[in-house]
Amino acid sequence: MFALNLNKTPMPIFYGKAALIDYLKSIKTPNSTLGFVPTMGALHQGHLSLMQQSLAENDNTVVSIFVNPTQFNNPEDLLKYPRTLDADIEKINNLNSDIILYAPTVDDIYEGKVLSLTFNFDGLENQMEGKFRPGHFDGVGTIVKRLFEIVMPTNAYFGEKDFQQLQIVKKMVTKNNLKVNVIGCAIYREPNGLAMSSRNERLTDQERSNAALIFTTLNLAKEKFKTNSATSVTKWVEKSFDTSTPFELEYFQIADETTLRPCLRKSNIKKYRAFIAITINNIRLIDTISLN
Ligand code: PAF
C-alpha cells in the first residue's frame, strides 16, 4: 500500500509536448535529475511502485500515459485496451502531487503520421513476442525514442514483466547513444502470484483466480530446470497447459537473458530466464522468471 498525500498542491498535467518541454526547462538545474515512467495508463500497483522508485531516486519525476497505437498488432486489442485517465490522475495525485503528468494526444506524438520507425535490435526483436506480435517492437521503439526525446530523462523505469521490451529499450539506447539510464524494476504480483498488468482488468474474478496457474507453473519450471534440460521443461509446461485448462499457451521459452535466444544446451556461465505468453478469452497475459 502507498501513503496518501494529504498536503496537496495541484499536479502539473500536460496534454501537449510544447508546454511540457517549457515547464521541464523551467525546473531543470545543472545537477538536477529527472526520472521518467512511461505507461499506457490503467495504472496498478506495479506502475505506482515504478513511480515510487523514480521519486526516491530523482529530483523530479515525469509519468506519461499514452496508449500507443503503433505497438498494437491486433486492432481489437487496441480498441479494448482500458482507458481510465481520470482514475489514473487520482492515483498519481494520491501517491505524490509533485509528479508531472504527460498525457498526450495521438496527434501530439505522431503529428499526423501514425507510423512506426524500423529498428534493428540485433535479433532481440525476432524472439518470443516478436514472433507473435509482428511490428510490436518497432512500435515500442518508436514511442519510447519519441518520449525520451521530449522528456529527456536522466533515468527511465520499466517493469521486468515485459523483459524483452526492457532489453530492447536498453539496446535502442545503446545503439542511438541516448543519454538515459534504463532501469529494470521487479515484477509486482497480485496475492495469488499473477503478474500485475493493465490487461488483468479485463479478466473475470474466475479467470483472475485461474491465472494463478501461470506463476505456479513458472516456479515449478524453475525447480525442474535445475535438473532437466530446457527441452524437457518446455514439454512439461506444454502438457500443463493442455486442453483441460481454460488457457491457450502461445509460447513457453527458456532463453539466454542477454540474447533472448532459446537455450539449446545449458551453460554454467549464462543467465537464463523462462518466458510465457497465454491467452484466456482473447486476453493475452505474459510473465517471466529468472532461472539461475
Ligand atoms: O510497457 C508499456 O506500457 C508500453 O509498452 C510503453 C513502454 C509505455 C510504451 O508504450
Side-chain angles (χ1 to χ4, degrees), residues 38-40 66 68 71 140 143-144 158 162 165:
T39 81
M40 297 207 295
F66 180 64
N68 172 37
Q71 70 187 77
V140 170
I143 186 60
V144 174
F158 292 81
D162 299 288
Q165 165 175 280

Side-chain angles (χ1 to χ4, degrees), residues 31-229:
N31 293 320
S32 63
T33 55
L34 182 62
F36 178 43
V37 182
T39 81
M40 297 207 295
L43 301 178
H44 49 69
Q45 298 278 352
H47 293 118
L48 298 184
S49 72
L50 300 184
M51 293 175 207
Q52 281 221 311
Q53 188 167 339
S54 175
L55 286 164
E57 295 177 358
N58 298 278
D59 297 307
N60 293 292
T61 289
V62 173
V63 170
S64 65
I65 295 183
F66 180 64
V67 182
N68 172 37
T70 62
Q71 70 187 77
F72 285 82
N73 54 307
N74 176 347
E76 194 192 327
D77 197 21
L78 173 60
L79 207 67
K80 291 199 170 155
Y81 201 84
R83 288 161 174 86
T84 56
L85 187 59
D86 290 343
D88 291 344
I89 291 175
E90 206 178 319
K91 284 181 191 166
I92 300 173
N93 208 17
N94 285 340
L95 178 69
N96 191 317
S97 60
D98 290 337
I99 289 177
I100 303 153
L101 176 63
Y102 176 43
T105 58
V106 172
D107 218 41
D108 190 53
I109 293 287
Y110 285 101
E111 298 173 346
K113 287 190 209 104
V114 187
L115 292 172
S116 287
L117 305 170
T118 308
F119 291 89
N120 173 353
F121 298 115
D122 291 344
L124 293 176
E125 70 277 30
N126 300 327
Q127 302 296 331
M128 301 174 292
E129 292 295 285
K131 283 189 191 143
F132 285 85
R133 303 187 67 187
H136 170 65
F137 287 122
D138 277 340
V140 170
T142 303
I143 186 60
V144 174
K145 185 161 179 285
R146 189 84 193 100
L147 290 169
F148 282 177
E149 284 160 359
I150 294 168
V151 177
M152 295 208 287
T154 322
N155 300 305
Y157 298 82
F158 292 81
E160 283 188 348
K161 178 175 74 69
D162 299 288
F163 193 86
Q164 188 171 8
Q165 165 175 280
L166 172 65
Q167 297 297 65
I168 277 177
V169 171
K170 284 184 178 166
K171 179 70 78 180
M172 184 196 69
V173 163
T174 310
K175 284 195 143 190
N176 290 278
N177 280 320
L178 304 182
K179 287 187 178 42
V180 46
N181 304 311
V182 176
I183 299 167
C185 307
I187 299 176
Y188 217 88
R189 296 185 180 279
E190 301 201 2
N192 72 357
L194 175 63
M196 290 217 178
S197 162
S198 303
R199 288 192 171 83
N200 294 357
E201 281 202 10
R202 293 175 52 203
L203 299 171
T204 63
D205 287 349
Q206 186 58 58
E207 287 164 349
R208 205 178 263 248
S209 146
N210 289 341
L213 179 66
I214 303 168
F215 190 48
T216 308
T217 306
L218 285 181
N219 274 308
L220 288 170
K222 177 174 180 153
E223 218 27 59
K224 286 183 187 295
F225 188 62
K226 287 181 185 157
T227 49
N228 292 278
S229 68

Side-chain angles (χ1 to χ4, degrees), residues 14 16-25 62 100 102 150-151:
F14 298 91
K17 58 182 175 294
L20 173 75
I21 291 169
D22 281 351
Y23 180 78
L24 292 177
K25 270 190 197 147
V62 173
I100 303 153
Y102 176 43
I150 294 168
V151 177

